[in-house]
Amino acid sequence: MTDVVRGWELVRDGDVEHYRKRMANNVAVLATWHGDRGTVEACVEPLGIGRTLTRSRTEFRDRESFWTAARCVVDLAANLPSLGAGGESPADPVLFGEVAGHVEAEPGSGGAPEAELTFTLVEGRRVTLVLSDEQAFDLCSRITGLDSRVWSEQREERDFGETSDAEVPDVGEVESGPDTGHDVVVLLEARFGVTADHLMAHVDWSALIVVGEPAVSSLVERGEEVRAALEPRWYPVVVDRPGERWVVLRRTGLFYGED
């Protein structure tokens, strides 16, 4: 009997778990977990019985490394041209369409750090995309880049030429806290030495999460300095997780529910 786990077809043979993901370009990614170790490979033909394109050189001893490798092979295979299926590329733009309403952004349900984005198209279909945490972070960075390069320019064009009779106060040495999530990332690295390697982000950039040591301990020790640097648009919260602590940097004025 074949089950579906995290988008993979799963067949169990005793303690052995055989996972398969069939790609649109006639490539199959096979991931096999032998109870205490795992291997990953990619083969031509959807059933995974054709020639091998790539295979892990070593066996993975923990599931986290195993699934990370499987995801990397999927990313690699998805960018290959069609192998024997008759098309030039697996990236057929059949889902191109206008989005209606808001985009739903939720944590992933696959048991790993991921995000699910659901789009409702004008034609009536709903499309859900599952992104890894790295892809979600990259997407947020790119959207922030669009905001600074496209929409901010439009706002500047609308404001251009407007004048005001109000007297401009004489101020100096005024330091404003970060505005966008990208600004927070820059501030964390420049002032506190916390790089992107220690960061996770909500899909909508309403919060940034600092994980891992020594980044978390450093921010906790410099708590008042961190709070002052983030005000008025962001504020830090220390969250206890099983076996670790996070520092969550939240956007002010938003409701997050219970931790």
Side-chain angles (χ1 to χ4, degrees):
M1 180 178 178
T2 302
D3 297 322
V4 177
V5 177
R6 301 168 67 174
W8 294 72
E9 300 173 26
L10 167 62
V11 175
R12 291 184 172 88
D13 182 12
D15 293 335
V16 181
E17 301 171 3
H18 299 276
Y19 296 91
R20 179 177 64 190
K21 185 179 287 289
R22 290 184 277 190
M23 316 292 289
N25 56 353
N26 214 37
V27 175
V29 178
L30 308 177
T32 306
W33 183 255
H34 299 272
D36 59 353
R37 66 192 189 282
T39 57
V40 181
E41 61 183 322
C43 303
V44 181
E45 301 294 340
L47 297 179
I49 58 177
R51 63 185 177 88
T52 300
L53 298 175
T54 185
R55 178 183 290 115
S56 56
R57 294 183 178 181
T58 60
E59 295 180 337
F60 301 95
R61 296 293 179 174
D62 62 90
R63 280 188 175 269
E64 182 177 357
S65 300
F66 169 69
W67 281 115
T68 298
R71 180 70 202 190
C72 289
V73 174
V74 168
D75 291 342
L76 171 66
N79 289 292
L80 293 174
S82 181
L83 300 176
E88 293 298 326
S89 170
D92 188 4
V94 294
L95 292 180
F96 182 87
E98 183 180 352
V99 176
H102 297 287
V103 177
E104 300 176 19
E106 300 290 343
S109 57
E114 58 187 23
E116 294 182 2
L117 303 182
T118 300
F119 303 83
T120 299
L121 303 184
V122 171
E123 64 185 39
R125 287 188 297 173
R126 285 169 60 85
V127 180
T128 298
L129 306 178
V130 179
L131 309 178
S132 67
D133 55 340
E134 293 88 354
Q135 290 171 325
F137 188 87
D138 182 63
L139 176 63
C140 293
S141 299
R142 292 174 184 269
I143 291 176
T144 300
L146 284 176
D147 179 72
S148 62
R149 298 172 188 172
V150 181
W151 297 305
S152 62
E153 293 179 2
Q154 295 177 356
R155 289 193 293 268
E156 291 173 0
E157 290 176 359
R158 289 196 298 267
D159 296 338
F160 181 76
E162 296 183 1
T163 60
S164 174
D165 296 331
E167 182 179 355
V168 179
D170 183 14
V171 295
E173 298 300 328
V174 175
E175 182 177 352
S176 176
D179 183 11
T180 67
H182 175 72
D183 294 337
V184 175
V185 173
V186 173
L187 181 145
L188 287 176
E189 182 168 4
R191 292 190 54 177
F192 301 99
V194 177
T195 65
D197 294 335
H198 294 279
L199 291 177
M200 297 187 295
H202 284 193
V203 173
D204 58 359
W205 279 82
S206 60
L208 283 166
I209 304 171
V210 181
V211 299
E213 296 295 345
V216 171
S217 296
S218 175
L219 293 184
V220 171
E221 292 173 0
R222 303 170 65 181
E224 291 302 321
E225 184 182 353
V226 173
R227 184 180 297 275
L230 293 173
E231 292 178 344
R233 298 179 181 88
W234 298 79
Y235 65 97
V237 176
V238 178
V239 177
D240 290 321
R241 307 293 295 181
E244 63 178 342
R245 284 192 304 175
W246 292 355
V247 174
V248 181
L249 311 178
R250 292 177 167 177
R251 185 86 180 184
T252 57
L254 299 178
F255 176 73
Y256 296 87
E258 297 181 357
D259 290 328

